[in-house]
Amino acid sequence: MRPCSLPRLAADASQDDLDRLYAERGAALVACDAARRLAVETLEVERGLVDDWLDGRPR
């Protein structure tokens, strides 16, 4: 439920800073997407277990 944190470019950044930040930001986006997918998968499994329990079906 917490938002992802993405690196930001400083106002006085150099070209090297921009290049470094580009890679860091890409890695942060990949990590954020992986965390989101894991959270969604966990929620789906949890809801399935609750539904099965309510229906009286063991899993």
Side-chain angles (χ1 to χ4, degrees):
M1 297 298 295
R2 65 179 189 261
C4 293
S5 176
L6 298 176
R8 298 184 71 172
L9 192 60
D12 61 345
S14 66
Q15 182 63 44
D16 288 340
D17 294 331
L18 179 61
D19 293 341
R20 179 185 42 79
L21 185 72
Y22 185 78
E24 289 176 4
R25 198 168 175 96
L29 286 170
V30 168
C32 183
D33 187 55
R36 180 198 57 80
R37 276 187 271 133
L38 179 60
V40 169
E41 181 180 318
T42 301
L43 180 63
E44 288 173 344
V45 170
E46 181 182 293
R47 286 183 177 173
L49 288 170
V50 169
D51 289 345
D52 289 349
W53 180 76
L54 289 173
D55 291 341
R57 296 175 295 195
R59 210 175 226 205

